Amino acid sequence: MFLTFSTPHQDLVARVVSVSHGFYRHVGIISDRLIDGELAVISFSQETNGFLEERISAFSRGRHIKNEGYLGKLNPYQAVANARRLKGLPYSLKNFNCEHFVRVIHGVKKESPQLQFWGAIAGVAGAIALFG
């Protein structure tokens, strides 16, 4: 069940939200807009090769939505404006994925902790295979 809002939702704007896709979590931010009376999420998706603004129910696809909090110290509306300025930038798993996106628009260090984690796992597996 998804909550719909017919009034402003300023306290949620630019909060980072995520949903599990098995081996990774897809992240986005709560938009300052509603779509058909429902909260909207802005994310950066491989499926659309970049920027996507959609209803929260479409973002979650029935999965549990986790509130990841607020990154950085920028005004929430500035973070949303930063996100919209990145429309047209292509998606890249290695160089600019959904995690890079939410960090850049919040004005914090561009990184992808999940990518770093899986890279470390691959490195350990490779070392075991080579020296094990």
Side-chain angles (χ1 to χ4, degrees):
M1 168 75 65
F2 297 96
L3 298 176
T4 58
F5 297 85
S6 57
T7 57
H9 54 281
Q10 294 90 346
D11 58 330
L12 299 175
V13 172
R15 293 229 177 240
V16 178
V17 291
S18 71
V19 291
S20 175
H21 284 257
F23 291 108
Y24 72 97
R25 295 195 69 80
H26 180 51
V27 296
I29 64 163
I30 300 291
S31 174
D32 59 346
R33 298 178 181 163
L34 300 174
I35 299 176
D36 298 327
E38 187 176 334
L39 285 174
V41 173
I42 299 172
S43 66
F44 210 74
S45 172
Q46 184 175 14
E47 292 175 9
T48 59
N49 194 32
F51 183 94
L52 176 64
E53 188 164 9
E54 62 188 339
R55 292 179 307 184
I56 197 166
S57 59
F59 173 79
S60 72
R61 294 184 176 103
R63 297 176 178 102
H64 174 76
I65 301 166
K66 183 178 179 187
N67 180 350
E68 302 284 354
Y70 195 85
L71 301 176
K73 299 188 186 312
L74 288 181
N75 175 294
Y77 294 93
Q78 181 62 54
V80 170
N82 291 346
R84 291 197 175 105
R85 278 192 210 95
L86 296 178
K87 258 185 180 174
L89 187 69
Y91 177 93
S92 166
L93 177 62
K94 182 181 173 190
N95 297 312
F96 206 80
N97 63 39
C98 62
E99 288 187 305
H100 295 122
F101 175 75
V102 298
R103 283 166 172 70
V104 166
I105 65 175
H106 275 279
V108 299
K109 182 182 176 186
K110 178 187 157 192
E111 62 183 354
S112 178
Q114 293 180 98
L115 194 58
Q116 292 167 353
F117 171 79
W118 287 111
I121 293 294
V124 168
I128 290 171
L130 189 60
F131 302 110

